[in-house]
Amino acid sequence: DAGVTQSPTHLIKTRGQQVTLRCSPKSGHDTVSWYQQALGQGPQFIFQYYEEEERQRGNFPDRFSGHQFPNYSSELNVNALLLGDSALYLCASSLGDRGTLSGANVLTFGAGSRLTVL
Amino acid sequence: LAKTTQPVSMDSYEGQEVNITCSHNNIATNDYITWYQQFPSQGPRFIIQGYKTKVTNEVASLFIPADRKSSTLSLPRVSLSDTAVYYCLVGRLFSGGYNKLIFGAGTRLAVHP
């Protein structure tokens, strides 16, 4: 059973460019969350997708956008890249919470996409 | 969601039991506690979660007192491979289909020979 798959694993961009990161969730999961993790810090919540809609969003500018496809896979797009966008971008999938502590709300993370902006 | 506070770092030795305590004073009735482990250049990995009292799995135990304002992750007989960052998070049980977890800075555990 494949876990969460992210691509690419590493990429280098220059300031002002745009980037698209991709995520395939764990089999059976229907919810995808994206996190940004700068070096030495904890993951910062960007947004979460469920039923192809952005359900919740963290404190990130509109330059960060996303999409969820009918097969539950997801993309994270970042426009007008800044040096400060250099980070590890993590995708996490889960089975949307159903109001019970049954393990359905456990996040499974991918290995991340390391973005370097020069 | 309740803010969590945990030690920035801890040191231990192989074979010892490690207890990491997390404070979440403003936890709500429908909030639960969950812990994740993260190694360098990897995504966090789920360890354990609970709502009250004690939960135990093959990896760790989670102790939650009656007032639920804190929780303690217990790692029995740690090894060098347990050196990692440990995150305590509070999540909310929704009736809908989504969940949101906010990570703090975590506790950096260093296990020494």
Tab-separated table of all heavy atoms in Angstrom, chain A residues 31 33 35 37 40-45 48 50 55-57 88 90 96-103 105-107 109-111 114, chain B residues 32-34 36 38 41-46 49-51 87 89 92-106 108:
chain	number	residue	atom	x	y	z
A	31	THR	N	-8.471	13.527	2.003
A	31	THR	CA	-8.160	14.896	2.413
A	31	THR	C	-6.657	15.135	2.287
A	31	THR	O	-5.862	14.273	2.677
A	31	THR	CB	-8.598	15.128	3.873
A	31	THR	OG1	-10.008	14.885	3.979
A	31	THR	CG2	-8.318	16.561	4.303
A	33	SER	N	-3.540	17.984	3.012
A	33	SER	CA	-3.074	19.219	3.646
A	33	SER	C	-1.664	19.509	3.169
A	33	SER	O	-0.881	18.585	2.937
A	33	SER	CB	-3.075	19.077	5.172
A	33	SER	OG	-4.359	18.739	5.664
A	35	TYR	N	1.911	21.748	3.998
A	35	TYR	CA	2.663	22.460	5.019
A	35	TYR	C	3.973	22.964	4.418
A	35	TYR	O	4.553	22.337	3.532
A	35	TYR	CB	2.993	21.539	6.202
A	35	TYR	CG	1.817	21.157	7.063
A	35	TYR	CD1	0.949	20.134	6.690
A	35	TYR	CD2	1.569	21.814	8.271
A	35	TYR	CE1	-0.131	19.775	7.491
A	35	TYR	CE2	0.500	21.459	9.081
A	35	TYR	CZ	-0.343	20.436	8.677
A	35	TYR	OH	-1.416	20.089	9.479
A	37	GLN	N	7.831	23.957	5.665
A	37	GLN	CA	8.739	23.840	6.793
A	37	GLN	C	10.085	24.464	6.453
A	37	GLN	O	10.831	23.935	5.639
A	37	GLN	CB	8.923	22.378	7.210
A	37	GLN	CG	9.744	22.221	8.482
A	37	GLN	CD	9.756	20.808	9.010
A	37	GLN	OE1	9.639	19.851	8.255
A	37	GLN	NE2	9.885	20.656	10.324
A	40	GLY	N	14.874	24.205	10.554
A	40	GLY	CA	14.903	24.386	12.001
A	40	GLY	C	13.584	24.758	12.636
A	40	GLY	O	13.524	24.998	13.848
A	41	GLN	N	12.522	24.813	11.843
A	41	GLN	CA	11.213	25.196	12.375
A	41	GLN	C	10.208	24.065	12.193
A	41	GLN	O	10.442	23.123	11.448
A	41	GLN	CB	10.712	26.454	11.677
A	41	GLN	CG	11.595	27.669	11.878
A	41	GLN	CD	11.026	28.903	11.220
A	41	GLN	OE1	9.833	28.957	10.904
A	41	GLN	NE2	11.856	29.899	11.024
A	42	GLY	N	9.098	24.179	12.873
A	42	GLY	CA	8.031	23.215	12.705
A	42	GLY	C	7.256	23.488	11.428
A	42	GLY	O	7.311	24.587	10.872
A	43	PRO	N	6.543	22.499	10.922
A	43	PRO	CA	5.737	22.703	9.706
A	43	PRO	C	4.659	23.759	9.925
A	43	PRO	O	3.998	23.761	10.959
A	43	PRO	CB	5.127	21.317	9.468
A	43	PRO	CG	6.016	20.361	10.206
A	43	PRO	CD	6.496	21.115	11.394
A	44	GLN	N	4.497	24.638	8.939
A	44	GLN	CA	3.467	25.676	8.991
A	44	GLN	C	2.333	25.298	8.040
A	44	GLN	O	2.574	25.037	6.866
A	44	GLN	CB	4.063	27.026	8.591
A	44	GLN	CG	5.211	27.492	9.481
A	44	GLN	CD	4.770	27.709	10.910
A	44	GLN	OE1	3.826	28.438	11.186
A	44	GLN	NE2	5.466	27.058	11.836
A	45	PHE	N	1.113	25.319	8.548
A	45	PHE	CA	-0.055	24.919	7.773
A	45	PHE	C	-0.343	25.931	6.671
A	45	PHE	O	-0.492	27.133	6.931
A	45	PHE	CB	-1.254	24.805	8.713
A	45	PHE	CG	-2.548	24.451	8.041
A	45	PHE	CD1	-2.820	23.144	7.671
A	45	PHE	CD2	-3.501	25.421	7.798
A	45	PHE	CE1	-4.021	22.812	7.072
A	45	PHE	CE2	-4.703	25.105	7.196
A	45	PHE	CZ	-4.964	23.800	6.827
A	48	GLN	N	-5.801	23.180	3.310
A	48	GLN	CA	-6.299	21.814	3.291
A	48	GLN	C	-7.409	21.692	2.254
A	48	GLN	O	-8.259	22.576	2.135
A	48	GLN	CB	-6.852	21.447	4.659
A	48	GLN	CG	-7.324	20.013	4.805
A	48	GLN	CD	-7.793	19.739	6.223
A	48	GLN	OE1	-8.842	20.197	6.645
A	48	GLN	NE2	-6.982	19.005	6.975
A	50	TYR	N	-10.468	19.211	0.609
A	50	TYR	CA	-11.384	18.090	0.786
A	50	TYR	C	-12.507	18.274	-0.220
A	50	TYR	O	-13.020	19.384	-0.393
A	50	TYR	CB	-11.926	18.075	2.210
A	50	TYR	CG	-13.024	17.064	2.457
A	50	TYR	CD1	-12.749	15.702	2.445
A	50	TYR	CD2	-14.331	17.479	2.708
A	50	TYR	CE1	-13.755	14.781	2.667
A	50	TYR	CE2	-15.338	16.558	2.934
A	50	TYR	CZ	-15.051	15.203	2.913
A	50	TYR	OH	-16.037	14.285	3.132
A	55	ARG	N	-10.679	23.970	2.140
A	55	ARG	CA	-11.551	24.014	3.314
A	55	ARG	C	-11.009	24.925	4.399
A	55	ARG	O	-11.767	25.578	5.105
A	55	ARG	CB	-11.725	22.598	3.873
A	55	ARG	CG	-12.392	21.649	2.908
A	55	ARG	CD	-13.847	21.968	2.694
A	55	ARG	NE	-14.488	21.062	1.763
A	55	ARG	CZ	-15.803	20.955	1.624
A	55	ARG	NH1	-16.614	21.714	2.356
A	55	ARG	NH2	-16.297	20.109	0.750
A	56	GLN	N	-9.709	24.915	4.569
A	56	GLN	CA	-9.111	25.752	5.598
A	56	GLN	C	-7.800	26.301	5.042
A	56	GLN	O	-7.153	25.671	4.206
A	56	GLN	CB	-8.855	24.961	6.882
A	56	GLN	CG	-10.108	24.395	7.514
A	56	GLN	CD	-9.864	23.936	8.931
A	56	GLN	OE1	-9.696	24.723	9.855
A	56	GLN	NE2	-9.817	22.639	9.117
A	57	ARG	N	-7.407	27.460	5.549
A	57	ARG	CA	-6.203	28.096	5.063
A	57	ARG	C	-5.424	28.687	6.223
A	57	ARG	O	-6.021	29.254	7.155
A	57	ARG	CB	-6.543	29.193	4.055
A	57	ARG	CG	-5.342	29.771	3.346
A	57	ARG	CD	-5.753	30.814	2.316
A	57	ARG	NE	-4.593	31.292	1.580
A	57	ARG	CZ	-4.170	30.766	0.429
A	57	ARG	NH1	-4.837	29.771	-0.122
A	57	ARG	NH2	-3.110	31.248	-0.180
A	88	LEU	N	11.069	23.181	2.830
A	88	LEU	CA	10.580	21.835	2.533
A	88	LEU	C	9.054	21.903	2.537
A	88	LEU	O	8.451	22.347	3.516
A	88	LEU	CB	11.069	20.849	3.593
A	88	LEU	CG	10.633	19.394	3.434
A	88	LEU	CD1	11.285	18.768	2.201
A	88	LEU	CD2	10.992	18.584	4.687
A	90	LEU	N	5.653	19.999	2.538
A	90	LEU	CA	5.140	18.695	2.926
A	90	LEU	C	3.668	18.563	2.587
A	90	LEU	O	2.876	19.471	2.829
A	90	LEU	CB	5.322	18.489	4.433
A	90	LEU	CG	6.766	18.430	4.931
A	90	LEU	CD1	6.820	18.656	6.436
A	90	LEU	CD2	7.393	17.087	4.588
A	96	GLY	N	-10.869	12.246	6.040
A	96	GLY	CA	-11.539	13.346	6.702
A	96	GLY	C	-12.180	12.932	8.011
A	96	GLY	O	-12.841	11.908	8.095
A	97	ASP	N	-11.986	13.752	9.025
A	97	ASP	CA	-12.498	13.468	10.358
A	97	ASP	C	-14.007	13.276	10.341
A	97	ASP	O	-14.723	14.018	9.685
A	97	ASP	CB	-12.133	14.617	11.292
A	97	ASP	CG	-12.739	14.429	12.651
A	97	ASP	OD1	-12.448	13.427	13.289
A	97	ASP	OD2	-13.530	15.291	13.061
A	98	ARG	N	-14.452	12.292	11.042
A	98	ARG	CA	-15.889	12.005	11.103
A	98	ARG	C	-16.430	12.264	12.510
A	98	ARG	O	-17.477	11.772	12.878
A	98	ARG	CB	-16.158	10.551	10.692
A	98	ARG	CG	-15.707	10.240	9.269
A	98	ARG	CD	-16.523	11.000	8.227
A	98	ARG	NE	-16.144	10.642	6.866
A	98	ARG	CZ	-15.337	11.368	6.101
A	98	ARG	NH1	-14.812	12.473	6.583
A	98	ARG	NH2	-15.059	10.975	4.868
A	99	GLY	N	-15.649	13.004	13.302
A	99	GLY	CA	-16.135	13.361	14.628
A	99	GLY	C	-15.813	12.337	15.690
A	99	GLY	O	-16.245	12.474	16.822
A	100	THR	N	-15.043	11.329	15.354
A	100	THR	CA	-14.683	10.335	16.360
A	100	THR	C	-13.181	10.124	16.342
A	100	THR	O	-12.524	10.276	15.313
A	100	THR	CB	-15.359	8.981	16.088
A	100	THR	OG1	-14.939	8.500	14.815
A	100	THR	CG2	-16.863	9.126	16.100
A	101	LEU	N	-12.633	9.782	17.490
A	101	LEU	CA	-11.204	9.569	17.591
A	101	LEU	C	-10.905	8.130	17.191
A	101	LEU	O	-10.584	7.282	18.019
A	101	LEU	CB	-10.747	9.848	19.026
A	101	LEU	CG	-9.251	10.104	19.213
A	101	LEU	CD1	-8.820	11.299	18.401
A	101	LEU	CD2	-8.952	10.326	20.684
A	102	SER	N	-11.009	7.882	15.899
A	102	SER	CA	-10.871	6.501	15.431
A	102	SER	C	-9.612	6.293	14.624
A	102	SER	O	-9.434	5.242	14.043
A	102	SER	CB	-12.082	6.143	14.566
A	102	SER	OG	-12.112	7.002	13.434
A	103	GLY	N	-8.759	7.309	14.574
A	103	GLY	CA	-7.577	7.204	13.746
A	103	GLY	C	-7.797	7.762	12.357
A	103	GLY	O	-6.873	7.887	11.579
A	105	ASN	N	-8.398	10.726	11.625
A	105	ASN	CA	-7.833	12.051	11.494
A	105	ASN	C	-6.314	12.044	11.646
A	105	ASN	O	-5.719	13.078	11.887
A	105	ASN	CB	-8.465	12.985	12.523
A	105	ASN	CG	-8.641	12.303	13.852
A	105	ASN	OD1	-7.869	11.419	14.191
A	105	ASN	ND2	-9.644	12.674	14.592
A	106	VAL	N	-5.688	10.918	11.501
A	106	VAL	CA	-4.239	10.830	11.541
A	106	VAL	C	-3.670	11.266	10.201
A	106	VAL	O	-4.109	10.810	9.143
A	106	VAL	CB	-3.795	9.388	11.852
A	106	VAL	CG1	-2.289	9.248	11.690
A	106	VAL	CG2	-4.221	9.003	13.258
A	107	LEU	N	-2.695	12.158	10.245
A	107	LEU	CA	-2.042	12.625	9.027
A	107	LEU	C	-0.902	11.689	8.643
A	107	LEU	O	-0.090	11.322	9.487
A	107	LEU	CB	-1.477	14.030	9.232
A	107	LEU	CG	-2.462	15.166	9.488
A	107	LEU	CD1	-1.704	16.465	9.725
A	107	LEU	CD2	-3.431	15.311	8.332
A	109	PHE	N	2.278	11.796	6.192
A	109	PHE	CA	3.073	12.751	5.438
A	109	PHE	C	3.918	12.084	4.370
A	109	PHE	O	4.364	10.931	4.520
A	109	PHE	CB	4.027	13.503	6.376
A	109	PHE	CG	3.377	14.569	7.191
A	109	PHE	CD1	2.737	14.280	8.377
A	109	PHE	CD2	3.409	15.896	6.768
A	109	PHE	CE1	2.128	15.267	9.131
A	109	PHE	CE2	2.811	16.898	7.524
A	109	PHE	CZ	2.165	16.585	8.693
A	110	GLY	N	4.159	12.844	3.299
A	110	GLY	CA	5.143	12.445	2.320
A	110	GLY	C	6.527	12.909	2.762
A	110	GLY	O	6.671	13.555	3.806
A	111	ALA	N	7.522	12.590	1.952
A	111	ALA	CA	8.900	12.967	2.286
A	111	ALA	C	9.189	14.428	1.973
A	111	ALA	O	10.200	14.970	2.419
A	111	ALA	CB	9.882	12.073	1.556
A	114	ARG	N	11.807	19.650	-1.626
A	114	ARG	CA	12.730	20.690	-1.158
A	114	ARG	C	12.859	21.748	-2.236
A	114	ARG	O	13.398	21.488	-3.312
A	114	ARG	CB	14.089	20.075	-0.857
A	114	ARG	CG	15.175	21.091	-0.539
A	114	ARG	CD	15.023	21.685	0.834
A	114	ARG	NE	15.163	20.699	1.898
A	114	ARG	CZ	14.965	20.958	3.173
A	114	ARG	NH1	14.628	22.173	3.557
A	114	ARG	NH2	15.106	20.004	4.081
B	32	TYR	N	-8.602	16.792	20.884
B	32	TYR	CA	-7.817	15.614	21.224
B	32	TYR	C	-6.338	15.970	21.119
B	32	TYR	O	-5.985	17.007	20.555
B	32	TYR	CB	-8.161	14.441	20.296
B	32	TYR	CG	-7.836	14.687	18.837
B	32	TYR	CD1	-6.629	14.264	18.296
B	32	TYR	CD2	-8.741	15.347	18.012
B	32	TYR	CE1	-6.323	14.504	16.973
B	32	TYR	CE2	-8.436	15.592	16.682
B	32	TYR	CZ	-7.228	15.157	16.168
B	32	TYR	OH	-6.919	15.400	14.861
B	33	ILE	N	-5.492	15.126	21.681
B	33	ILE	CA	-4.057	15.357	21.678
B	33	ILE	C	-3.386	14.321	20.789
B	33	ILE	O	-3.727	13.131	20.843
B	33	ILE	CB	-3.483	15.277	23.100
B	33	ILE	CG1	-4.128	16.342	23.989
B	33	ILE	CG2	-1.970	15.450	23.086
B	33	ILE	CD1	-5.089	15.809	25.005
B	34	THR	N	-2.433	14.762	20.007
B	34	THR	CA	-1.723	13.856	19.111
B	34	THR	C	-0.245	14.219	19.079
B	34	THR	O	0.115	15.381	19.248
B	34	THR	CB	-2.346	13.882	17.706
B	34	THR	OG1	-1.750	12.869	16.896
B	34	THR	CG2	-2.178	15.232	17.034
B	36	TYR	N	3.568	13.632	17.026
B	36	TYR	CA	4.262	13.211	15.817
B	36	TYR	C	5.766	13.256	16.061
B	36	TYR	O	6.253	14.023	16.881
B	36	TYR	CB	3.909	14.128	14.640
B	36	TYR	CG	2.537	13.888	14.067
B	36	TYR	CD1	1.402	14.366	14.715
B	36	TYR	CD2	2.367	13.175	12.887
B	36	TYR	CE1	0.139	14.131	14.196
B	36	TYR	CE2	1.108	12.939	12.355
B	36	TYR	CZ	-0.007	13.426	13.020
B	36	TYR	OH	-1.253	13.185	12.516
B	38	GLN	N	9.576	13.524	13.959
B	38	GLN	CA	10.153	13.889	12.682
B	38	GLN	C	11.672	13.758	12.703
B	38	GLN	O	12.340	14.311	13.577
B	38	GLN	CB	9.776	15.319	12.277
B	38	GLN	CG	10.243	15.675	10.872
B	38	GLN	CD	9.835	17.059	10.430
B	38	GLN	OE1	9.647	17.955	11.245
B	38	GLN	NE2	9.679	17.261	9.126
B	41	SER	N	14.908	15.937	7.218
B	41	SER	CA	14.584	15.781	5.792
B	41	SER	C	13.511	14.721	5.529
B	41	SER	O	13.459	14.147	4.442
B	41	SER	CB	15.847	15.432	4.995
B	41	SER	OG	16.777	16.490	5.088
B	42	GLN	N	12.684	14.465	6.521
B	42	GLN	CA	11.534	13.569	6.341
B	42	GLN	C	10.281	14.256	6.841
B	42	GLN	O	10.342	15.197	7.628
B	42	GLN	CB	11.737	12.262	7.106
B	42	GLN	CG	12.872	11.391	6.605
B	42	GLN	CD	12.914	10.062	7.322
B	42	GLN	OE1	11.900	9.582	7.828
B	42	GLN	NE2	14.091	9.457	7.373
B	43	GLY	N	9.129	13.769	6.403
B	43	GLY	CA	7.881	14.283	6.932
B	43	GLY	C	7.615	13.721	8.312
B	43	GLY	O	8.122	12.658	8.676
B	44	PRO	N	6.840	14.420	9.118
B	44	PRO	CA	6.486	13.904	10.449
B	44	PRO	C	5.763	12.567	10.356
B	44	PRO	O	5.077	12.291	9.373
B	44	PRO	CB	5.569	15.001	11.006
B	44	PRO	CG	5.961	16.236	10.267
B	44	PRO	CD	6.309	15.765	8.892
B	45	ARG	N	5.927	11.790	11.401
B	45	ARG	CA	5.294	10.473	11.460
B	45	ARG	C	4.436	10.385	12.711
B	45	ARG	O	4.889	10.745	13.802
B	45	ARG	CB	6.357	9.385	11.471
B	45	ARG	CG	5.840	7.948	11.492
B	45	ARG	CD	7.002	6.965	11.402
B	45	ARG	NE	7.773	6.912	12.639
B	45	ARG	CZ	7.640	5.983	13.571
B	45	ARG	NH1	6.737	5.037	13.427
B	45	ARG	NH2	8.392	6.000	14.656
B	46	PHE	N	3.218	9.926	12.565
B	46	PHE	CA	2.287	9.787	13.684
B	46	PHE	C	2.834	8.803	14.719
B	46	PHE	O	3.345	7.740	14.376
B	46	PHE	CB	0.935	9.298	13.166
B	46	PHE	CG	-0.039	8.905	14.243
B	46	PHE	CD1	-0.761	9.866	14.931
B	46	PHE	CD2	-0.217	7.559	14.580
B	46	PHE	CE1	-1.659	9.504	15.922
B	46	PHE	CE2	-1.115	7.193	15.569
B	46	PHE	CZ	-1.840	8.167	16.235
B	49	GLN	N	-2.152	9.147	19.710
B	49	GLN	CA	-3.125	10.192	20.009
B	49	GLN	C	-4.084	9.701	21.079
B	49	GLN	O	-4.266	8.496	21.270
B	49	GLN	CB	-3.888	10.640	18.767
B	49	GLN	CG	-4.837	9.613	18.196
B	49	GLN	CD	-5.554	10.148	16.965
B	49	GLN	OE1	-5.195	11.184	16.422
B	49	GLN	NE2	-6.580	9.442	16.517
B	50	GLY	N	-4.691	10.658	21.790
B	50	GLY	CA	-5.623	10.279	22.838
B	50	GLY	C	-6.524	11.433	23.212
B	50	GLY	O	-6.307	12.585	22.823
B	51	TYR	N	-7.537	11.111	23.985
B	51	TYR	CA	-8.486	12.124	24.449
B	51	TYR	C	-8.388	12.304	25.970
B	51	TYR	O	-8.384	13.436	26.466
B	51	TYR	CB	-9.907	11.731	24.062
B	51	TYR	CG	-10.943	12.744	24.444
B	51	TYR	CD1	-11.137	13.889	23.681
B	51	TYR	CD2	-11.717	12.572	25.595
B	51	TYR	CE1	-12.078	14.833	24.039
B	51	TYR	CE2	-12.661	13.512	25.961
B	51	TYR	CZ	-12.841	14.640	25.178
B	51	TYR	OH	-13.772	15.574	25.542
B	87	TYR	N	6.601	16.487	18.185
B	87	TYR	CA	5.600	17.552	18.179
B	87	TYR	C	4.342	17.109	18.916
B	87	TYR	O	3.817	16.016	18.670
B	87	TYR	CB	5.205	17.914	16.747
B	87	TYR	CG	6.320	18.493	15.907
B	87	TYR	CD1	7.050	17.688	15.043
B	87	TYR	CD2	6.625	19.854	15.970
B	87	TYR	CE1	8.063	18.210	14.255
B	87	TYR	CE2	7.643	20.389	15.187
B	87	TYR	CZ	8.349	19.565	14.331
B	87	TYR	OH	9.351	20.087	13.557
B	89	LEU	N	0.460	18.189	19.365
B	89	LEU	CA	-0.551	18.988	18.691
B	89	LEU	C	-1.923	18.722	19.290
B	89	LEU	O	-2.195	17.636	19.796
B	89	LEU	CB	-0.616	18.653	17.196
B	89	LEU	CG	0.641	18.841	16.374
B	89	LEU	CD1	1.398	17.526	16.279
B	89	LEU	CD2	0.289	19.319	14.984
B	92	ARG	N	-9.071	19.203	16.635
B	92	ARG	CA	-10.480	19.316	16.998
B	92	ARG	C	-11.301	18.304	16.214
B	92	ARG	O	-11.116	18.128	15.006
B	92	ARG	CB	-10.989	20.721	16.711
B	92	ARG	CG	-12.467	20.912	17.044
B	92	ARG	CD	-12.743	22.321	17.469
B	92	ARG	NE	-12.012	22.681	18.683
B	92	ARG	CZ	-11.941	23.928	19.137
B	92	ARG	NH1	-12.499	24.910	18.467
B	92	ARG	NH2	-11.284	24.179	20.245
B	93	LEU	N	-12.182	17.658	16.907
B	93	LEU	CA	-13.085	16.702	16.273
B	93	LEU	C	-14.246	17.466	15.646
B	93	LEU	O	-15.069	18.053	16.345
B	93	LEU	CB	-13.593	15.698	17.308
B	93	LEU	CG	-12.529	14.770	17.913
B	93	LEU	CD1	-13.129	13.972	19.062
B	93	LEU	CD2	-11.972	13.836	16.867
B	94	PHE	N	-14.284	17.468	14.337
B	94	PHE	CA	-15.382	18.113	13.637
B	94	PHE	C	-16.415	17.072	13.240
B	94	PHE	O	-16.128	15.909	13.175
B	94	PHE	CB	-14.884	18.808	12.377
B	94	PHE	CG	-14.023	20.022	12.623
B	94	PHE	CD1	-12.668	19.992	12.352
B	94	PHE	CD2	-14.574	21.181	13.116
B	94	PHE	CE1	-11.879	21.099	12.570
B	94	PHE	CE2	-13.790	22.300	13.336
B	94	PHE	CZ	-12.437	22.259	13.060
B	95	SER	N	-17.569	17.537	12.926
B	95	SER	CA	-18.571	16.627	12.392
B	95	SER	C	-18.493	16.582	10.874
B	95	SER	O	-19.140	15.771	10.241
B	95	SER	CB	-19.972	17.080	12.812
B	95	SER	OG	-20.202	18.407	12.387
B	96	GLY	N	-17.691	17.466	10.333
B	96	GLY	CA	-17.534	17.508	8.890
B	96	GLY	C	-16.461	16.567	8.404
B	96	GLY	O	-16.136	15.596	9.059
B	97	GLY	N	-15.887	16.881	7.275
B	97	GLY	CA	-14.952	15.953	6.650
B	97	GLY	C	-13.533	16.446	6.580
B	97	GLY	O	-12.766	16.013	5.741
B	98	TYR	N	-13.128	17.291	7.495
B	98	TYR	CA	-11.766	17.783	7.411
B	98	TYR	C	-11.195	18.042	8.786
B	98	TYR	O	-11.900	18.129	9.782
B	98	TYR	CB	-11.696	19.061	6.580
B	98	TYR	CG	-12.623	20.153	7.021
B	98	TYR	CD1	-12.219	21.128	7.910
B	98	TYR	CD2	-13.933	20.205	6.542
B	98	TYR	CE1	-13.079	22.130	8.315
B	98	TYR	CE2	-14.785	21.205	6.941
B	98	TYR	CZ	-14.352	22.172	7.816
B	98	TYR	OH	-15.213	23.150	8.207
B	99	ASN	N	-9.912	18.137	8.837
B	99	ASN	CA	-9.190	18.295	10.092
B	99	ASN	C	-8.011	19.213	9.850
B	99	ASN	O	-7.445	19.233	8.780
B	99	ASN	CB	-8.720	16.934	10.589
B	99	ASN	CG	-8.051	17.023	11.931
B	99	ASN	OD1	-8.367	17.901	12.715
B	99	ASN	ND2	-7.116	16.136	12.198
B	100	LYS	N	-7.616	19.961	10.824
B	100	LYS	CA	-6.521	20.911	10.690
B	100	LYS	C	-5.613	20.773	11.899
B	100	LYS	O	-6.076	20.864	13.030
B	100	LYS	CB	-7.080	22.328	10.607
B	100	LYS	CG	-6.053	23.447	10.672
B	100	LYS	CD	-6.777	24.783	10.630
B	100	LYS	CE	-5.813	25.936	10.799
B	100	LYS	NZ	-6.549	27.231	10.781
B	101	LEU	N	-4.359	20.526	11.674
B	101	LEU	CA	-3.402	20.400	12.763
B	101	LEU	C	-2.318	21.456	12.630
B	101	LEU	O	-1.743	21.631	11.569
B	101	LEU	CB	-2.777	19.005	12.777
B	101	LEU	CG	-3.679	17.848	13.218
B	101	LEU	CD1	-2.941	16.531	13.133
B	101	LEU	CD2	-4.175	18.079	14.637
B	102	ILE	N	-2.059	22.166	13.734
B	102	ILE	CA	-1.066	23.225	13.762
B	102	ILE	C	0.145	22.738	14.554
B	102	ILE	O	0.015	22.371	15.724
B	102	ILE	CB	-1.627	24.503	14.399
B	102	ILE	CG1	-2.889	24.950	13.653
B	102	ILE	CG2	-0.581	25.596	14.421
B	102	ILE	CD1	-2.661	25.276	12.206
B	103	PHE	N	1.304	22.770	13.910
B	103	PHE	CA	2.535	22.334	14.553
B	103	PHE	C	3.210	23.518	15.248
B	103	PHE	O	3.224	24.627	14.723
B	103	PHE	CB	3.503	21.751	13.522
B	103	PHE	CG	3.141	20.382	13.038
B	103	PHE	CD1	2.120	20.211	12.115
B	103	PHE	CD2	3.817	19.267	13.494
B	103	PHE	CE1	1.782	18.946	11.654
B	103	PHE	CE2	3.487	18.001	13.041
B	103	PHE	CZ	2.456	17.848	12.122
B	104	GLY	N	3.798	23.247	16.402
B	104	GLY	CA	4.641	24.223	17.069
B	104	GLY	C	6.090	23.954	16.697
B	104	GLY	O	6.371	23.335	15.669
B	105	ALA	N	6.996	24.395	17.555
B	105	ALA	CA	8.424	24.223	17.280
B	105	ALA	C	8.933	22.839	17.649
B	105	ALA	O	9.986	22.414	17.199
B	105	ALA	CB	9.223	25.280	18.028
B	106	GLY	N	8.183	22.122	18.478
B	106	GLY	CA	8.566	20.768	18.839
B	106	GLY	C	9.651	20.681	19.889
B	106	GLY	O	10.228	21.689	20.313
B	108	ARG	N	13.279	18.870	20.575
B	108	ARG	CA	14.400	18.140	19.967
B	108	ARG	C	14.991	17.194	21.003
B	108	ARG	O	15.581	17.645	21.980
B	108	ARG	CB	15.466	19.109	19.466
B	108	ARG	CG	14.990	19.973	18.335
B	108	ARG	CD	16.058	20.887	17.785
B	108	ARG	NE	15.530	21.655	16.674
B	108	ARG	CZ	15.476	21.223	15.425
B	108	ARG	NH1	15.951	20.016	15.135
B	108	ARG	NH2	14.973	21.967	14.463
